[in-house]
Amino acid sequence: MELAHQSVNASNSDVADGNPVFIEKVKNWTERNEKRIILSQIVTLYLEMLKKTDMSKPHIKNLSEQLNTLRNTLSNDYKKFRDLVELSNLQLTGLKIQRKAVSELFSVLQKLVETSTSKRKRSQSPKRCRC
């Protein structure tokens, strides 16, 4: 890690200016599975950044390999992230897509009710005594 810091001059004074790049984003995701989704995207961004650096340096190559291994363990979470991006880019202006969306509305609302009731059941489950 120290060699990576030195390679990009991460101790430069401008690093302290402004807000963190990734850490604040992770704080907003509280559940374990949620964090895995955002972390999968962050790992991918680090890999993209490393592709633009000198990969002939052993410490950069090693870091890239470790991040690739980590990304592979997060692949399902990355697919979930891509689903979120796809939803945010969905154009709902066409009549056909609106009709499809409305036809799915009841099913979507049912899923929402199912997830909220199962969450409530877990939170209301009796706590075991650790006597």
Side-chain angles (χ1 to χ4, degrees), residues 34 45 54 57 74 103 119:
E34 288 178 350
L45 291 171
D54 185 2
K57 296 178 180 176
L74 296 169
S103 72
K119 197 173 196 176

Side-chain angles (χ1 to χ4, degrees), residues 3-9 45-65 67:
L3 291 173
H5 275 256
Q6 291 172 5
S7 293
V8 296
N9 200 8
L45 291 171
Y46 276 120
L47 285 167
E48 290 296 318
M49 184 179 72
L50 287 174
K51 281 182 187 176
K52 298 172 185 165
T53 62
D54 185 2
M55 292 295 283
S56 66
K57 296 178 180 176
H59 63 279
I60 299 293
K61 187 175 181 174
N62 183 36
L63 181 59
S64 180
E65 289 171 357
L67 286 171

Side-chain angles (χ1 to χ4, degrees), residues 33-82:
N33 290 336
E34 288 178 350
K35 280 189 180 187
R36 289 178 58 87
I37 294 169
I38 192 73
L39 288 170
S40 69
Q41 177 60 19
I42 291 171
V43 166
T44 300
L45 291 171
Y46 276 120
L47 285 167
E48 290 296 318
M49 184 179 72
L50 287 174
K51 281 182 187 176
K52 298 172 185 165
T53 62
D54 185 2
M55 292 295 283
S56 66
K57 296 178 180 176
H59 63 279
I60 299 293
K61 187 175 181 174
N62 183 36
L63 181 59
S64 180
E65 289 171 357
Q66 290 178 9
L67 286 171
N68 268 314
T69 301
L70 186 57
R71 183 176 63 175
N72 291 339
T73 65
L74 296 169
S75 64
N76 287 338
D77 300 293
Y78 184 71
K79 289 174 189 169
K80 292 173 187 174
F81 174 80
R82 299 301 316 157

